[in-house]
Amino acid sequence: MTNQVARHSNDAHGSHGTAVASHGAADTPENFENPGLPPHIHRHGDHDEKAAKRSELQVVTMFGLSMLFTLLFIVSYFAIGQDATVTLPLSGKVGASHTALGVTLGLSILFIGLGAIHWAKTLMSDEEVVEERHPLRSDDETRASVVKTLADAAESTHLTRRPLLKMTMGGALGLFALPLGLQLLGSMGPMPRNDLEVTLWGKKLNGKNRRLMRDPAGTAIRLSDVTLGSVFHVLPEGVNETEHPLNEKAKSSVILVSLDENKIKSQKQRDWGIGGVVAYSKICTHVGCPVGLYEQQTHHLLCPCHQSTFDMTEDCKVIFGPAKRPLPQLKISVDDEGYLVADGDFADAVGPSFWELA
C-alpha cells in the first residue's frame, strides 16, 4: 500500500515537472531579436548650410567671449589693487581683486565648455555607428578602414572646412592657460633680479668705498687694530641706513682675520688682502649659516650647523662637510685715514647655490 502511494506521488510530481518545462520551452524564443537603433533625426545644419553657418558663428562667439574674459582676467590682475573692495548684494563688502579674478576666470572656462558642447551638438557628425566584435588583431583591410574612418571623423568635425572654428578654439584654450600660469608666477613675489649676486660692499657710500665696521659695535677698523691671529666680525658702513638692513646684513657679513702671510698658499688671496689680513664672507655656501668659528692653530673656519670646514690658508677651500664651494673673498685696502675699506663687491655670489649658481 505504501509503495503504491509513493509511486503515485512520484508520478504526479514528474508529470507536473514535465508540464512546467514544456510550458517554459513554448514561451522562450531560441534567439532574441535585435532591437536595433531608433531612426536617426537629422539636424538643420546637416542639410542647410545657412543653419550650419549660424551654428559656426555661435560657437565662434562663445570662444571669442572666452578669450575676452581671459584677457580681462589678466588686466584685472594688474589693474586692481589687493586692498580694493566692492560691495555685492548678498555677500556685502568683498575684495575687488578676488571677485574680478573669479568672475572672469569662471566665465572664460564656461564659454569654452559651452562652445565645445554647441559645436558637438550642431556641427559634428552624430551618425550612429555599430561595430561588430572582431579579433584583437584586425586584418590590413580593416586597419586601413579605421584610418579612413578617423580621417572621415576629422572631416566631420568641420575643422578642415571651417578654419575659423579651429583658430578661435585654439585661441580660447591657449589663452585660458595664461591665468593659471600668471597666478603661479605672480604669487611667487617680485623677481630677484641680481639681488642674490650683489651686496652692499659693491655700492659706494657718498662716492667712497665702504669701511669695514665692527659688528655689532659699528666702529671702523684701522689696519693697525688688526694683530696677528685676531678675528673681527664685520659689516659694511651704513648698513643700518639701507631700505632693508636685515637683508643686507644677511648677504654682507664678513669675517676679518690676520694670518701669517708666509702660510698663505694662494697668490690671489695675498693680492686681495693686506699683509696677511684677509676678509671672507661669513655665509656658508651650504645652506647659509654663519661661519663664525675660527681655529687659530689650524687656520680652519668651521660652520656650526653642518660642520663644513674651510681652510683660510687656501683661499677658504672646503676641506670637510657638505659645502661645495669656497667662501668668497672680499678685496680690501686702506683709505687715507688708515681705515680698512672694501675695494668693490665679492667676485662670486655669497651663500648657498641657486638656479643660476650651480
Side-chain angles (χ1 to χ4, degrees), residues 22-42:
S22 300
H23 177 71
D27 293 344
T28 305
E30 293 184 3
N31 295 307
F32 289 98
E33 294 182 2
N34 185 354
L37 295 172
H40 178 68
I41 301 176
H42 291 277

Side-chain angles (χ1 to χ4, degrees), residues 38-201:
H40 178 68
I41 301 176
H42 291 277
R43 304 162 301 183
H44 292 296
D46 294 338
H47 304 292
D48 186 351
E49 181 60 25
K50 291 183 178 180
K53 191 64 178 178
R54 285 196 303 270
S55 297
E56 178 187 5
L57 291 176
Q58 290 166 355
V59 175
V60 167
T61 301
M62 293 178 190
F63 287 153
L65 288 172
S66 173
M67 290 189 285
L68 174 63
F69 283 112
T70 301
L71 294 175
L72 288 176
F73 175 96
I74 297 174
V75 172
S76 301
Y77 187 88
F78 291 104
I80 302 176
Q82 295 183 356
D83 297 330
T85 59
V86 63
T87 302
L88 300 180
L90 298 178
S91 303
K93 184 177 290 187
V94 295
S97 177
H98 292 169
T99 303
L101 296 180
V103 170
T104 53
L105 186 63
L107 290 175
S108 175
I109 193 171
L110 173 65
F111 280 110
I112 290 178
L114 291 178
I117 292 172
H118 194 59
W119 183 3
K121 285 186 172 292
T122 59
L123 291 174
M124 290 186 184
S125 174
D126 66 341
E127 292 286 345
E128 295 86 358
V129 178
V130 178
E131 183 180 6
E132 299 292 340
R133 291 186 178 181
H134 54 78
L136 293 178
R137 173 57 169 88
S138 302
D139 54 37
D140 294 337
E141 181 180 356
T142 303
R143 293 162 70 88
S145 176
V146 170
V147 174
K148 183 178 183 302
T149 300
L150 294 176
D152 293 342
E155 178 66 25
S156 70
T157 60
H158 289 229
L159 281 175
T160 55
R161 293 175 52 196
R162 305 181 190 278
L164 192 57
L165 278 174
K166 178 170 59 177
M167 290 187 291
T168 53
M169 182 190 68
L173 292 175
L175 282 176
F176 184 75
L178 292 180
L180 305 179
L182 181 64
Q183 293 179 85
L184 178 62
L185 295 176
S187 300
M188 295 176 68
M191 294 295 291
R193 299 180 297 277
N194 63 343
D195 292 349
L196 299 176
E197 302 179 25
V198 299
T199 71
L200 200 59
W201 294 112

Side-chain angles (χ1 to χ4, degrees), residues 189-227:
M191 294 295 291
R193 299 180 297 277
N194 63 343
D195 292 349
L196 299 176
E197 302 179 25
V198 299
T199 71
L200 200 59
W201 294 112
K203 302 174 183 178
K204 294 183 180 295
L205 180 64
N206 299 324
K208 298 180 179 180
N209 292 338
R210 294 180 184 265
R211 293 177 175 177
L212 279 65
M213 313 294 285
R214 294 178 178 86
D215 180 26
T219 55
I221 304 173
R222 294 181 182 272
L223 179 59
S224 57
D225 297 335
V226 186
T227 58

